[in-house]
């Protein structure tokens, strides 16, 4: 590309990849099978939680956690740990989609906001704008208004 007789080359040559966006019912009690499969295969997804959208993966998958940190810019101490039961240092989400994910994957998730250290985005589209194709799947449950914390 030329601009004022200067030639520019992209620093990184890569092919953008398609990221599936699944529209989910925010009141659904079952997690989409595709999301569970992606998480179990070491994937990173965007999912709705009580106060907005997070980028997350299985807590037990070190490679996925490292990728999560790269995609969001989070450090390990900025990660939020989600679990079904109120274990020490974890959050138990009230959002039905997040709860269903936790039940069906069978283990805790770690998550971060995008960009890291900011308030969670109220829409999935805002997260995708930041992370682009750095995630494997997006669960879109519509705009998230902060829900009351689960007990």
């Amino acid at each position: 590309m030329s601009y004022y007789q200067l030639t520019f080359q992209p620093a990184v040559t890569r092919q953008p990849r398609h990221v599936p966006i699944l529209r989910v019912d925010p009141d659904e009690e079952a997690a989409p099978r595709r999301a569970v499969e992606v998480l179990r295969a070491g994937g990173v997804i965007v999912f709705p939680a009580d106060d907005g959208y997070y980028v997350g993966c299985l807590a037990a998958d070190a490679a996925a956690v490292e990728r999560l940190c790269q995609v969001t810019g989070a450090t390990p101490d900025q990660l939020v740990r989600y679990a079904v039961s109120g274990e020490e240092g974890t959050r138990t989400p009230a959002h039905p989609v997040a709860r269903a994910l936790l039940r069906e994957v069978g283990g805790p998730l770690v998550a971060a906001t995008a960009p890291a250290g900011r308030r969670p985005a109220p829409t999935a589209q805002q997260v995708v704008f930041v992370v682009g194709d750095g995630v494997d799947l997006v669960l879109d449950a519509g705009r998230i208004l902060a829900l009351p914390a689960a007990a």
Side-chain angles (χ1 to χ4, degrees):
M1 160 178 23
S2 179
Y3 186 74
Y4 292 115
Q5 282 72 40
L6 299 173
T7 303
F8 299 94
Q9 294 295 324
V12 177
T13 303
R14 69 177 187 83
Q15 196 66 6
R17 47 184 202 104
H18 172 74
V19 176
I21 299 175
L22 298 179
R23 181 86 174 127
V24 294
D25 181 349
D27 298 321
E28 183 62 42
E29 294 295 323
R33 181 178 35 182
R34 178 96 184 262
V36 174
E37 291 170 355
V38 167
L39 287 169
R40 287 182 178 158
V44 176
I45 69 168
V46 174
F47 69 95
D50 305 347
D51 54 350
Y53 283 85
Y54 287 81
V55 181
C57 65
L58 285 176
D61 188 330
V65 172
E66 181 177 329
R67 188 166 149 230
L68 168 65
C69 290
Q70 289 173 347
V71 167
T72 62
T75 59
D77 62 318
Q78 290 177 306
L79 299 178
V80 177
R81 189 174 173 94
Y82 284 101
V84 175
S85 62
E87 301 170 16
E88 180 82 24
T90 65
R91 291 187 190 175
T92 302
H95 196 285
V97 174
R99 290 181 71 81
L101 272 176
L102 287 167
R103 268 193 321 270
E104 294 184 35
V105 298
L109 300 176
V110 289
T113 58
R118 300 271 179 96
R119 290 179 53 111
T123 67
Q125 291 79 9
Q126 289 171 307
V127 177
V128 171
F129 182 76
V130 174
V131 299
D133 64 356
V135 296
D136 302 302
L137 180 73
V138 176
L139 296 179
D140 184 356
R143 179 174 281 283
I144 302 292
L145 302 174
L147 297 174

